[in-house]
Amino acid sequence: MLLAEHENTSGPESAAFLALLLFHSVRLDARLNELGGIVLFDDQDLNRWDLSLLKEAFHWFELATNVPVATRYHAEAMIAAEHCRGKLTGQTDWDHIVSAYQMLCRLSPSLVHHLNCAIAVAHRGDIDAGIQMLDSLDCRGLKDRYYLWHAAQGSLLKMADQIEEAAESFRTAWSLAPTTAEKELICQKIDALRAHDRT
């Protein structure tokens, strides 16, 4: 906060960076369950969010976006802001999130950003387009060892009701996941697929 408020370092980029940190800090207590397992964003308990900190995050986000400046921190803060707003209201603006990921892919291209952009496109309602985006990524061999690629594929295939294919992707993701917590999270996704298949 000192950087964002100091006369020599204040400005829209510092405000965007602070907003991003605050948006993530809001959810710290909700990101893990009692056993230390990862809790996905959609499953987090709002009662464990720091809503006073969330108000502060939106304050700095508004300061950051009041000027025509675009940095990777603006894009990341926009994504975090839209997810938090959607959690509170029950209505997520996926158009804004897709636009922010597209900006992020231009300003700071990375495989993770492209994966998340494909997922956001699918959530916007363009499931086939999201799958095509994922398939078109040049993974340069990462596909063979990068569990998040397969986890993203599993999520998209589930959205497309391709349950068996989604389960296979999640099993591959499980085999490549580097930590116990991530493997347990993927197991939850596989269990959810089995429950879906029984309905």
Side-chain angles (χ1 to χ4, degrees):
M1 194 168 293
L2 291 176
L3 288 175
E5 293 178 337
H6 195 280
E7 61 180 354
N8 293 329
T9 54
S10 64
E13 186 172 7
S14 296
F17 182 61
L18 177 57
L20 176 62
L21 293 179
L22 291 172
F23 280 127
H24 287 301
S25 297
V26 163
R27 307 184 290 110
L28 281 178
D29 289 341
R31 298 179 73 170
L32 297 177
N33 60 29
E34 293 77 7
L35 300 176
I38 300 170
V39 180
L40 291 176
F41 182 87
D42 288 342
D43 298 325
Q44 290 175 10
D45 184 356
L46 272 176
N47 292 320
R48 298 182 66 184
W49 280 25
D50 187 333
L51 297 183
S52 62
L53 203 58
L54 183 60
K55 183 178 180 180
E56 186 79 4
F58 276 115
H59 165 73
W60 285 103
F61 179 67
E62 289 175 6
L63 291 179
T65 53
N66 278 338
V67 292
V69 176
T71 69
R72 64 168 294 178
Y73 297 130
H74 284 82
E76 290 176 340
M78 185 185 300
I79 292 165
E82 289 299 338
H83 278 303
C84 288
R85 187 179 288 114
K87 182 75 170 179
L88 290 172
T89 64
Q91 295 182 327
T92 301
D93 192 330
W94 287 104
D95 282 332
H96 281 179
I97 292 176
V98 169
S99 296
Y101 270 121
Q102 290 171 339
M103 183 194 309
L104 193 55
C105 288
R106 292 194 301 270
L107 297 173
S108 181
S110 76
L111 180 60
V112 171
H113 295 158
H114 284 288
L115 288 178
N116 286 328
C117 187
I119 293 172
V121 166
H123 276 289
R124 186 176 62 180
D126 303 327
I127 299 175
D128 289 340
I131 293 174
Q132 290 172 9
M133 286 179 62
L134 186 66
D135 288 340
S136 68
L137 288 179
D138 177 15
C139 296
R140 293 182 293 276
L142 285 176
K143 180 179 175 181
D144 295 331
R145 62 182 188 277
Y146 194 53
Y147 86 99
L148 286 177
W149 192 95
H150 296 280
Q153 184 184 54
S155 296
L156 295 181
L157 291 172
K158 178 184 177 182
M159 294 175 67
D161 285 329
Q162 299 181 39
I163 303 304
E164 292 184 8
E165 294 85 349
E168 182 61 31
S169 294
F170 283 133
R171 283 192 288 269
T172 302
W174 182 90
S175 69
L176 297 172
T179 70
T180 300
E182 287 161 321
K183 286 181 180 293
E184 289 177 351
L185 180 61
I186 294 168
C187 282
Q188 292 175 25
K189 292 178 177 291
I190 295 172
D191 289 341
L193 283 178
R194 290 170 179 159
H196 179 278
D197 203 31
R198 288 195 296 267
T199 59

